[in-house]
Amino acid sequence: MTSLLVVLFGVTAAYAVYIAALCARRRQTLVFEAEGLPAWTFIFGSAGIVFAGLGLDNHLALAARYGLQASHLAVGLVMVALAGVLVVKRVVLAARLTGIASPGALIGGYYGSVTLRIAVMMLAALYALPFSAAALASVGDLLSNATAGALPRAGVIAVVAVFLFLPSVLGGWRAIVYVAAGQSLIVLVLLAFLAVAVSADQSVPLFGAAIPTAAGILADRIPGVFQASAGIGKEATIGGLWTTTGILSAALALAGIVLSPAYLMLAIGTRARTAIAFSQTWVTGGIAAGLLVVGTPILAAALATSVGADPAAAMAGLAERLAATEPLLGVGLLLLVVGVVQIGVALFAGAAARIFTQEAVVLYMLPQLSPEGERLATRIALAVVFALLTAMAVFAPLPSAILASLALPLSIQVLPAVLGLCWLPWLSRSAVLAGLVVGCLMVVFTEPPGLVLFDGLFVELPWGRWPLTIHAAAWGLAFNLAATLLVAIFTRGGAERDHRDRLHDAFRAAYPADLGSGAARSAKWSLVLLWAFLALGPAAILGNTFFSEPIFAGGPAQVGLPSLWVWQVLFWFVGVFLIWWLAYHGRMAVIEPGPARRVALDAGPPSTFHRRAPVWIERTLARVARR
């Protein structure tokens, strides 16, 4: 299997370098161009980046450990698609109206805040370094285990990083997106193929049987609406970790991938009228979510029967078992897991390098930099990012994994700022900043970095990770929204509001959403909330027995599948219909041709905003200088 694995990985690496060389040859003057990407790159690339945010290997490992209660998170991809329908079109339109291609510059320029621009840059760095390093470290562990040490862990990490760096530095963002979109299509095909192949294996307990889990874990049921637990590391849960509040809040965290800088950059550069609607409805919410809803229990059941001391060893054991039947099956599983990681690392690293160059180098350090100099600066930034994440993956996998836990829950804390940009002009800069600070603090102190830091330096906190089985993303967003709305009550008017209204006036004039009358609009959003309540929220617990012990039948029913699995498939179908209704019928994700109108978010040119540093930065520098 090792020889076949090396050959196939070599083929994918050669494909990536070839695509990058084509991009560099055909666009010699615009090597790092990000605009005008064809529709298919976003359609498939967006699904790939969602898989990377989910962490396919982690998702399968959790489902193998906790059963259907953990695989229920696959329905959360419908929520990811709904989040995309809600904000992506408006972000793309804002970028086109203002001529700004960077998410940080767009959000910062809209609110007139350098702090928000720095926050977006730090979020990009969080995805590019610890998040990508943790994913790359898992690839090294997996391939080293799968080849029984023939491919050393450090060597695997270095080789994968080099072959991701080469297309990036040769062809820039355009090459990164082309390669990632192609790999995303391969990942979808492999996931479908492996699910069908593994379901034919008679040794895998599947249809009509629960996933084999440890004693005390409810393999085919959700263990309650919530549990009064102090959190992971403080108090054990009964029946499993994934209560309905845990599932809903984890799905909310997963929706944060839509607000990540890489995802928004990918969307902003897309040249298409219906690409966003097609991607969210049929690829992310339809194919990707459906494959996970159906395929996760199948692959998790096979993974649960594999022997391994850790998830990487168990996945490697499953690959060896599949390879004993057919070598292509074992290699296909490894290609699936590694392909998802490669998509994420390439997009996150490329976005971070591009954002740093535009937001820091060009804007503040070297404002007179020529286009050739900007391309050189981007290449240097790419080299630095890949060198750092490779070193972190090889030498600091545990700290990287601890810091990586912050990426998704911190991403969703940007939601109020993006909602203000897209729909709510009455959300002020002060309100958004106050909510962002409070929300980020709550996330940090309900995730490992804050808990470890506080316990080591001060006193032991009375709670652990995810208290009350609620994900850190939900804790942070709840306090974030409360602070944002409270401050917005007192700061919703003034000159800042006039500045923000310019963009929303352009939205209403040229690109209105068609949600119908007041009653129709209320009905649409009420159905979305009802779906979330039944599919992911407290009412999802009805799925435990709704089909196996229906109240109207007077006794147990034989459906041939666990009731919860049927519930998941049912509400995936309903969710796809809701996405279609909002994206196409409501025109929330279809970009209609509009007038070529430019909106200046500041008195200066569209590419420069607020060169003066914010007050808190000036004061900090002044204090340091006095010392």
Side-chain angles (χ1 to χ4, degrees):
M1 183 176 72
T2 302
S3 300
L4 181 60
L5 178 66
V6 171
V7 169
L8 289 180
F9 274 116
V11 170
T12 59
Y15 152 78
V17 174
Y18 174 72
I19 294 296
L22 285 181
C23 292
R25 183 185 307 165
R26 294 180 181 179
R27 294 182 175 268
Q28 292 181 1
T29 59
L30 294 172
V31 175
F32 289 82
E33 183 189 54
E35 294 78 22
L37 292 167
W40 70 270
T41 58
F42 179 75
I43 288 172
F44 294 109
S46 59
I49 203 170
V50 170
F51 275 144
L54 174 66
L56 187 59
D57 53 342
N58 291 330
H59 179 64
L60 293 177
L62 286 172
R65 180 177 179 182
Y66 291 101
L68 289 176
Q69 56 175 283
S71 72
H72 201 103
L73 184 58
V75 185
L77 263 70
V78 176
M79 180 176 282
V80 174
L82 287 170
V85 168
L86 181 64
V87 302
V88 171
K89 173 187 172 180
R90 285 292 178 101
V91 170
V92 171
L93 289 177
R96 292 183 182 180
L97 288 168
T98 59
I100 305 170
S102 172
L106 184 63
I107 296 173
Y110 172 77
Y111 288 102
S113 171
V114 177
T115 305
L116 283 173
R117 299 179 71 158
I118 294 173
V120 173
M121 197 185 312
M122 292 176 65
L123 191 60
L126 188 62
Y127 276 103
L129 295 178
F131 191 89
S132 296
L136 202 56
S138 69
V139 166
D141 292 334
L142 173 62
L143 295 185
S144 179
N145 278 282
T147 60
L151 298 178
R153 175 183 173 275
V156 168
I157 293 172
V159 170
V160 172
V162 166
F163 279 104
L164 290 175
F165 170 70
L166 286 177
S168 305
V169 78
L170 287 174
W173 179 250
R174 178 173 291 270
I176 293 171
V177 171
Y178 275 121
V179 172
Q183 279 194 306
S184 300
L185 178 58
I186 294 172
V187 163
L188 293 173
V189 173
L190 282 174
L191 183 56
F193 174 72
L194 287 168
V196 172
V198 173
S199 65
D201 187 350
Q202 299 297 322
S203 65
V204 177
L206 182 60
F207 302 105
I211 297 172
T213 57
I217 300 294
L218 300 178
D220 59 351
R221 296 180 180 229
I222 296 174
V225 175
F226 79 99
Q227 293 193 24
S229 166
I232 301 173
K234 294 291 183 181
E235 187 176 353
T237 54
I238 300 173
L241 174 66
W242 299 95
T243 60
T244 58
T245 52
I247 294 168
L248 179 61
S249 57
L252 193 64
L254 183 58
I257 195 66
V258 174
L259 305 177
S260 66
Y263 193 102
L264 294 179
M265 278 191 64
L266 182 62
I268 288 171
T270 302
R271 180 192 67 239
R273 175 175 171 268
T274 59
I276 299 172
F278 190 91
S279 170
Q280 307 303 331
T281 306
W282 306 120
V283 180
T284 299
I287 297 173
L291 286 175
L292 281 183
V293 168
V294 176
T296 296
I298 297 173
L299 295 176
L303 188 60
T305 60
S306 297
V307 178
D310 53 62
M315 187 71 72
L318 176 59
E320 291 175 4
R321 205 173 81 202
L322 293 175
T325 304
E326 171 56 53
L328 280 176
L329 288 178
V331 174
L333 178 63
L334 298 177
L335 284 172
L336 172 66
V337 175
V338 177
V340 170
V341 172
Q342 288 177 319
I343 293 166
V345 172
L347 287 171
F348 294 145
R354 185 174 177 83
I355 288 173
F356 177 78
T357 303
Q358 292 179 338
E359 299 290 307
V361 177
V362 175
L363 192 61
Y364 292 107
M365 300 178 186
L366 300 170
Q368 305 302 322
L369 198 63
S370 65
E372 292 78 9
E374 183 178 346
R375 287 196 290 272
L376 177 60
T378 305
R379 287 189 170 105
I380 294 173
L382 279 168
V384 171
V385 168
F386 272 100
L388 287 176
L389 75 88
T390 303
M392 292 174 68
V394 173
F395 300 109
L398 181 58
S400 297
I402 292 174
L403 291 174
S405 65
L406 294 175
L408 286 174
L410 286 182
S411 283
I412 200 64
Q413 305 312 311
V414 186
L415 181 62
V418 177
L419 287 179
L421 170 71
C422 298
W423 300 100
L424 307 174
W426 47 268
L427 288 182
S428 66
R429 175 179 59 194
S430 301
V432 167
L433 287 174
L436 183 64
V437 170
V438 173
C440 289
L441 286 175
M442 286 301 301
V443 166
V444 169
F445 285 105
T446 49
E447 286 286 0
L451 296 172
V452 171
L453 179 65
F454 203 90
D455 290 354
L457 296 180
F458 303 102
V459 296
E460 185 175 350
L461 293 171
W463 63 83
R465 188 183 188 189
W466 305 356
L468 301 180
T469 63
I470 299 175
H471 197 285
W475 284 110
L477 190 59
F479 282 85
N480 185 341
L481 291 174
T484 299
L485 294 175
L486 182 63
V487 176
I489 293 174
F490 303 100
T491 60
R492 56 187 302 173
E496 283 187 25
R497 175 65 182 269
D498 297 335
H499 172 79
R500 297 191 300 272
D501 277 341
R502 280 182 272 172
L503 182 60
H504 290 273
D505 290 341
F507 283 154
R508 285 188 289 269
Y511 306 100
D514 184 16
L515 294 176
S517 62
R521 185 182 297 110
S522 300
K524 285 184 174 71
W525 294 116
S526 297
L527 285 175
V528 171
L529 293 176
L530 180 62
W531 173 87
F533 180 75
L534 291 168
L536 298 167
I541 200 171
L542 297 175
N544 286 348
T545 58
F546 187 84
F547 296 101
S548 60
E549 300 175 15
I551 57 175
F552 49 80
Q558 299 297 324
V559 294
L561 290 171
S563 175
L564 185 58
W565 197 1
V566 180
W567 185 273
Q568 293 167 3
V569 173
L570 172 65
F571 280 96
W572 162 63
F573 272 116
V574 176
V576 172
F577 171 74
L578 283 176
I579 300 168
W580 170 84
W581 196 16
L582 293 172
Y584 286 97
H585 188 269
R587 318 305 288 176
M588 291 186 67
V590 177
I591 300 179
E592 303 288 356
R597 175 184 176 185
R598 279 296 176 96
V599 177
L601 295 182
D602 195 74
S607 61
T608 57
F609 298 94
H610 298 276
R611 290 182 181 273
R612 180 178 179 271
V615 176
W616 65 271
I617 294 180
E618 290 183 343
R619 290 177 178 173
T620 303
L621 291 175
R623 289 173 183 170
V624 172
R626 283 198 298 268
R627 293 180 181 178

